[in-house]
Amino acid sequence: MTEVGTYVYAITREAGGSPPADLTGVGGAPVRTVEHAGLVAYVSTVPLEEFGEEPLRRSLEDLDWIGATARAHHHVVESVAETVPTAPVRLVTVYSSEEQVSDLLARRHDDFVAVLSRVVGRREWGVKAYAARETAPPPAEEEPTGGDGPGTAYLKRRQASLHSREDAWRHTAAQAERVHTTLADVAVASLRQRPQDPELSGRTESMVLNGAYLVDDDRVGEFTAALDALREREIDLELTGPWAPYSFTALDLDTAGPEAPDAP
Amino acid sequence: MTNPARSGYTSPQGYGRGAPSGGGSANLADILERVLDRGVVIVGDIRVNLLDIELLTIKLRLLIASVDTARELGIDWWERDPWLSAQDGELEEENRRLRERFAVAEGRRAGRRPLDAREKASGAREETSGERSPRGRERGD
């Protein structure tokens, strides 16, 4: 018989709830709940031949596998977060048994309750800013003058173009800063993540802001209005969400957590 | 809840391409940075876990890719950008913490390869990552 593990997606506080009908997780397995002391863990069964440590080591080199697993994980988290305050658990957290999951809920009860109380009535929104495509025409070809050969002229043009590009960057970075500060004022909490690589973002323009904002549900209109007021020609703003509060439920159950999000 | 009308959302290409998932039209890059990097991290008492060092490898790879792209453009503003420099500092600090935690976890597990052998293995993968595309990158248009 195949050895199996219990894969954990998310923790919520609403005991007595049940997963949305027909909700499936990684590998298409049905999602079920483990309840203990007023907390609920959403879990499914996974084969250890795929989710054991050694198979995972290989799978982590495979972006297709990571992508499919991340989407399945995310699908469960979002389905749960649609209805109740939710603390997402990091990708590929696998226990030996449901009993172990119950133990976790018992031992870390207060931590989970504290995290969940922070996100009640709030959702996470993502805002990314891209430097708009350069629209300036290239410098006109100049006739070489006063001893500058074509090589020197080319180098000068190249230098000028680099300088102006850097100036444009600085300007854009300052705008990104302003966008973040303005949105953070409306949000309960916020943080800046590293800009994504173009290959991942799927856009050729450079990302200058990759922000996450925890926003009260009754202030979302205000948040999007603030965002729209910030739209300018040189910077392209993209809103994503609502997300489960991934960026604001950091809870490291062994050591001190990572840096706290900016306080408002 | 509905998305605001002017979300500015454009369907991304590359890894971002794919069917919308639970959270609406989320692209894979946004999902990955959240599921890998955020949320509740449980270590120490579980049967299996995505190893921190592997996670860090992925994150570093993404960061390095971003920096290389900028460098090709002749831009080194991030080296003087206080926010980005701070991020680098955080990454080093995070790296240090993860190594410590990993060493502790290592000490609790019997019959495993030593940490530095493991690091050599992931280091070797790092060195070849530029030449060898992971499966999934080889997408013809």
Side-chain angles (χ1 to χ4, degrees):
Chain A
M1 188 175 143
T2 315
E3 230 193 321
V4 296
T6 304
Y7 184 114
V8 185
Y9 298 90
I11 312 287
T12 72
R13 211 181 157 174
E14 305 287 314
S18 60
D22 303 328
L23 182 61
T24 56
V26 294
V31 172
R32 62 188 193 279
T33 54
V34 175
E35 299 188 14
H36 188 85
L39 292 169
V40 183
Y42 287 78
V43 305
S44 70
T45 299
V46 289
L48 290 187
E49 62 191 13
E50 185 180 2
F51 285 87
E53 220 166 274
E54 284 307 316
L56 278 181
R57 208 180 285 283
R58 288 191 300 274
S59 300
L60 286 175
E61 291 293 307
D62 180 351
L63 273 172
D64 284 346
W65 185 92
I66 293 173
T69 307
R71 282 192 184 284
H73 179 98
H74 175 66
H75 173 65
V76 174
V77 168
E78 290 296 337
S79 301
V80 173
E82 283 295 313
T83 55
V84 289
T86 300
V89 173
R90 194 174 65 176
L91 190 77
V92 196
T93 298
V94 183
Y95 280 79
S96 296
S97 65
E98 286 196 8
E99 287 71 30
Q100 277 197 324
V101 177
S102 296
D103 288 350
L104 171 77
L105 297 181
R107 278 184 297 107
R108 298 296 180 163
H109 178 272
D110 294 356
D111 289 334
F112 283 127
V113 168
V115 163
L116 288 166
S117 65
R118 283 209 305 264
V119 298
V120 173
R122 296 162 176 171
R123 298 295 293 271
E124 174 174 331
W125 296 83
V127 174
K128 288 176 289 184
Y130 298 88
R133 278 177 224 282
E134 284 185 291
T135 48
E141 287 289 324
E142 289 167 33
E143 288 301 312
T145 55
D148 281 355
T152 309
Y154 165 78
L155 287 175
K156 282 186 174 170
R157 279 202 305 275
R158 167 103 178 118
Q159 194 175 29
S161 124
L162 285 179
H163 280 303
S164 68
R165 198 181 274 162
E166 187 169 339
D167 288 346
W169 258 112
R170 294 191 174 289
H171 178 62
T172 311
Q175 281 182 299
E177 186 65 42
R178 194 165 61 90
V179 169
H180 178 70
T181 308
T182 305
L183 295 178
D185 280 348
V186 183
V188 176
S190 63
L191 56 82
R192 286 180 75 160
Q193 299 168 337
R194 285 183 200 95
Q196 293 166 1
D197 177 60
E199 184 166 5
L200 272 179
S201 71
R203 296 187 46 159
T204 51
E205 309 97 312
S206 296
M207 192 182 290
V208 290
L209 171 68
N210 185 15
Y213 307 88
L214 186 67
V215 182
D216 283 322
D217 288 342
D218 56 13
R219 292 190 75 185
V220 169
E222 193 182 336
F223 183 81
T224 54
L227 181 70
D228 285 339
L230 289 159
R231 292 185 192 277
E232 291 180 36
R233 202 170 46 80
E234 306 95 328
I235 197 167
D236 186 11
L237 299 177
E238 189 182 275
L239 177 69
T240 62
W243 297 85
Y246 283 100
S247 306
F248 304 99
T249 46
L251 174 65
D252 192 325
L253 294 185
D254 235 25
T255 59
E259 73 285 351
D262 310 335
Chain B
M1 197 187 294
T2 54
N3 284 344
R6 294 190 58 196
S7 71
Y9 183 82
T10 51
S11 186
Q13 302 302 305
Y15 292 123
R17 189 165 44 208
S21 63
S25 44
N27 82 53
L28 186 54
D30 293 350
I31 292 173
L32 277 178
E33 75 183 1
R34 285 176 170 82
V35 301
L36 288 175
D37 231 3
R38 314 274 154 187
V40 179
V41 178
I42 300 164
V43 292
D45 60 350
I46 51 177
R47 173 70 178 76
V48 186
N49 195 15
L50 197 58
L51 296 168
D52 286 329
I53 204 77
E54 311 270 12
L55 267 184
L56 196 66
T57 300
I58 294 170
K59 285 194 275 182
L60 279 171
R61 198 177 284 169
L62 298 181
L63 180 71
I64 287 164
S66 308
V67 169
D68 283 350
T69 305
R71 201 167 265 146
E72 275 171 29
L73 296 173
I75 296 165
D76 63 352
W77 54 268
W78 71 86
E79 287 170 2
R80 298 189 299 270
D81 181 306
W83 178 71
L84 286 167
S85 306
Q87 291 283 303
D88 278 351
E90 279 173 21
L91 194 71
E92 282 167 19
E93 171 62 17
E94 184 178 27
N95 196 353
R96 192 191 55 74
R97 273 197 306 111
L98 289 177
R99 278 171 198 279
E100 278 179 6
R101 190 196 301 167
F102 199 72
V104 169
E106 202 63 20
R108 281 203 296 259
R109 302 178 191 183
R112 298 232 181 248
R113 284 176 297 155
L115 175 60
D116 53 358
R118 212 175 264 203
E119 286 194 352
K120 272 191 202 115
S122 63
R125 282 204 299 275
E126 264 310 284
E127 283 163 19
T128 57
S129 69
E131 301 140 25
R132 186 183 54 79
S133 293
R135 269 175 295 159
R137 278 199 200 189
E138 294 153 10
R139 287 179 202 278
D141 278 312

